[in-house]
Amino acid sequence: GAVVSQHPSWVICKSGTSVKIECRSLDFQATTMFWYRQFPKQSLMLMATSNEGSKATYEQGVEKDKFLINHASLTLSTLTVTSAHPEDSSFYICSARPMAGVNTEAFFGQGTRLTVV
Amino acid sequence: QKEVEQDPGPLSVPEGAIVSLNCTYSNSAFQYFMWYRQYSRKGPELLMYTYSSGNKEDGRFTAQVDKSSKYISLFIRDSQPSDSATYLCAMSAGVNTGNQFYFGTGTSLTVIP
């Protein structure tokens, strides 16, 4: 299957600092990438949908000024958690859907575990 | 009511057993059905992708979709300890409705050697 690389796989940061997470589709182009958040023993919660070259669409309740998403190219989307606080500690996962095909499956990155201390 | 319902388990089976994992859903517009396997602290890995109703088989895995009952299943034959993971079902109504995926909560499976 297609490969989606997410970096870093884990990060610890101090409260008040910002953290950037990268999501790259390695062997395909992705018009759309998705950012999810997952709490322990819970399912994936969609945070936002990122379209190349345009502003991200955020789900209700997700602060767009706190979770900045940039989709600069067809293979890269970034999520920046600004002014991180301990409650932002979570597992963040991106997914990307290949451009080829109309309704295709999504492939996930390996996730980033963020711990804010 | 959630869009997708999935029993979180946990489910423990002996090695070699047949495992049945299920999800129900409420949105009749869903046409695309996926099963993902997620190991601890890893991203979900696509196992099966099915369009509309019917069965799909891939090795030890069989996915079934019954749209009339709004019910999907994943069967794992000859289960192995390496199958121990959380299994997530996901579904989508397709690109014409935003292509958003809706996930179940995941079922935690342990296969005991």
Side-chain angles (χ1 to χ4, degrees), chain A residues 29-67:
Chain A
Q29 292 184 325
T31 309
T32 305
M33 292 187 175
F34 304 87
W35 287 96
Y36 296 87
R37 185 172 179 178
Q38 188 178 34
F39 292 102
K41 298 188 178 182
Q42 294 190 25
S43 189
L44 288 78
M45 181 190 78
L46 180 64
M47 299 175 64
T49 302
S50 166
N51 293 295
E52 185 266 338
S54 62
K55 291 183 178 180
T57 301
Y58 290 82
E59 295 300 303
Q60 190 173 10
V62 178
E63 299 177 58
K64 59 182 180 182
D65 293 331
K66 182 168 185 62
F67 298 99

Side-chain angles (χ1 to χ4, degrees), chain A residues 71-84:
Chain A
H71 195 153
S73 74
L74 288 172
T75 59
L76 174 64
S77 177
T78 60
L79 168 67
T80 301
V81 183
T82 62
S83 186

